[in-house]
Amino acid sequence: VSVRDEGPARRVADLGGLVETTLERALADSRVEGLDELGSRRLIEAMRYSLCTPGKRLRPLLLLTSAEAIGVEPRELVPFAIGVEMMHAYSLIHDDLPAMDDDELRRGQPTNHVVYGDGMAILAGDGLLTEAFIAMLEPLEVDGRPLAARLQMRVVAEIGRAAGHAGMVGGQAADLLAEGMAPEEGLVQSIHRRKTGALIRASVRAGALLASAAAEELAALDVFASHFGLAFQIADDVKDEVAPPEVTGKHRGGDREASKITYPALFGLDGSRERCRTELDQAIASLSSFGPAAAALELLAHDSVAPAFADHGA
Ligand code: IPE
Ligand code: IPE
Ligand code: MG
Ligand code: MG
Ligand code: MG
């Protein structure tokens, strides 16, 4: 079956459905049955609460559609891709904690710590981060053949690096330390590239690497991901100011209340949208050599920043 004969929207929806069912199963295995309160039952409930509430599943979908751009059928990579979503889910739980952004709404529901308490939310994040590595180390097949373990180890290490102090966690630390500072372009861009861009970039690169992309293909996808990762967090900043909870599933205006260093704080809404658009255009331009194989990846990129440009009646 060619990966190119279905419309990209349909491909994204199909892959999203597969990600969803695999996430549902991930923590629902039999070991959980019969656990009592002082076993891990409440912890696993808290982990599932944040993992299984409907999100965009952007990072696993980027991984899968990046592999598709290389010409590999991406379904076999879903068990790996959900590991990246687990890592993302953990980062959201911790991001919302009172000691961090202190948010009470996420994906249209009370945040993890509001439901389970701070201690359990911290542990649910720890549990998901750990589980992410287990998921990514599951033996994989690509086009029906076992994937080389060394290649897979390299990709897991890349994701780990992107999620750690040199990437997401480092960006989150800088985001906290910069609260209340005067916004400056180099700083805000560095924070955004690390706290959000790094995991997005690693997801795209992972799909390409697992699909054994050639060096030029990997380089082009890397350029795409680097621009898109920044565009995505600029769009997130804009949505924080303009989009209501019905659209974002999050409380509006939290960045301003917490004196966060954001693009709108520095460039205003229109200036931020302009920069978001420029980054997105550069991202999409770098996909040109892939032709229709990258249509799903391009669609994902467009759709995920679009709400920052919509009229929310504000
Ligand atoms: C929100 O990510 C946090 C950021 C890194 C900007 P998403 O916008 O991908 O959130 P979900 O997964 O769809 O809820
Ligand atoms: C969060 O950035 C980045 C990570 C969770 C790594 P934000 O704090 O802007 O994300 P939201 O707006 O709460 O989703
Ligand atoms: Mg934050
Ligand atoms: Mg936040
Ligand atoms: Mg935000």
Side-chain angles (χ1 to χ4, degrees):
V1 178
S2 162
V3 294
R4 297 172 193 196
D5 51 10
E6 292 165 53
R10 174 79 190 284
R11 286 291 294 163
V12 170
D14 283 357
L15 290 170
L18 205 51
V19 166
E20 218 59 61
T21 51
T22 311
L23 284 171
E24 273 294 332
R25 275 202 303 266
L27 296 171
D29 67 39
S30 54
R31 286 173 299 155
V32 183
E33 300 304 314
L35 288 177
D36 62 11
E37 196 64 2
L38 292 184
S40 303
R41 198 187 72 202
R42 186 182 290 259
L43 173 67
I44 293 170
E45 249 177 57
M47 290 163 71
R48 284 179 53 80
Y49 178 80
S50 289
L51 186 65
C52 299
T53 39
K56 294 183 291 292
R57 311 309 186 194
L58 174 66
R59 294 147 193 84
L61 286 170
L62 286 170
L63 188 154
L64 298 170
T65 54
S66 168
E68 180 169 288
I70 303 303
V72 155
E73 164 53 53
R75 284 164 202 269
E76 290 165 308
L77 300 181
V78 170
F80 187 102
I82 64 160
V84 181
E85 183 68 15
M86 289 175 177
M87 207 165 260
H88 170 63
Y90 119 73
S91 80
L92 297 180
I93 297 176
H94 285 190
D95 182 73
D96 291 331
L97 284 167
M100 293 191 66
D101 291 353
D102 194 11
D103 273 315
E104 301 199 334
L105 192 67
R106 167 73 62 187
R107 294 176 174 173
Q109 295 191 14
T111 44
N112 198 289
H113 65 90
V114 168
V115 178
Y116 295 98
D118 295 1
M120 209 49 64
I122 291 168
L123 293 168
D126 296 338
L128 285 168
L129 171 56
T130 309
E131 206 68 28
F133 282 98
I134 297 172
M136 292 188 292
L137 289 167
E138 192 80 16
L140 281 184
E141 295 199 339
V142 175
D143 286 339
R145 282 186 296 276
L147 184 77
R150 286 179 77 95
L151 172 60
Q152 191 169 344
M153 282 166 60
R154 175 189 166 187
V155 181
V156 174
E158 262 209 33
I159 304 260
R161 224 173 286 120
H165 65 84
M168 184 175 79
V169 174
Q172 289 284 73
D175 179 275
L176 287 184
L177 292 169
E179 281 179 9
M181 285 184 182
E184 187 267 307
E185 183 168 14
L187 179 61
V188 67
Q189 196 181 109
S190 153
I191 290 174
H192 284 23
R193 284 191 188 286
R194 286 182 287 158
K195 76 171 184 177
T196 298
L199 191 60
I200 284 180
R201 179 168 168 234
S203 302
V204 171
R205 286 179 57 88
L209 287 165
L210 294 172
S212 297
E216 323 82 71
E217 293 174 319
L218 180 63
L221 287 172
D222 195 300
V223 173
F224 161 79
S226 183
H227 286 295
F228 170 64
L230 181 56
F232 184 76
Q233 184 58 44
I234 299 174
D236 183 80
D237 288 353
V238 171
K239 284 188 290 176
D240 192 272
E241 296 229 341
V242 302
E246 302 81 66
V247 171
T248 59
K250 305 186 271 196
H251 159 69
R252 176 164 40 189
D255 288 343
R256 194 183 282 271
E257 287 163 25
S259 304
K260 291 285 189 188
I261 305 259
T262 63
Y263 269 68
L266 185 55
F267 298 113
L269 286 174
D270 288 338
S272 301
R273 288 191 179 109
E274 199 180 301
R275 282 163 177 83
C276 178
R277 167 101 55 206
T278 304
E279 294 295 330
L280 184 69
D281 288 347
Q282 286 175 283
I284 302 296
S286 69
L287 295 179
S288 61
S289 58
F290 296 99
L297 190 54
E298 180 175 337
L299 180 75
L300 264 179
H302 264 295
D303 285 0
S304 57
V305 304
F309 295 90
D311 178 7
H312 298 290

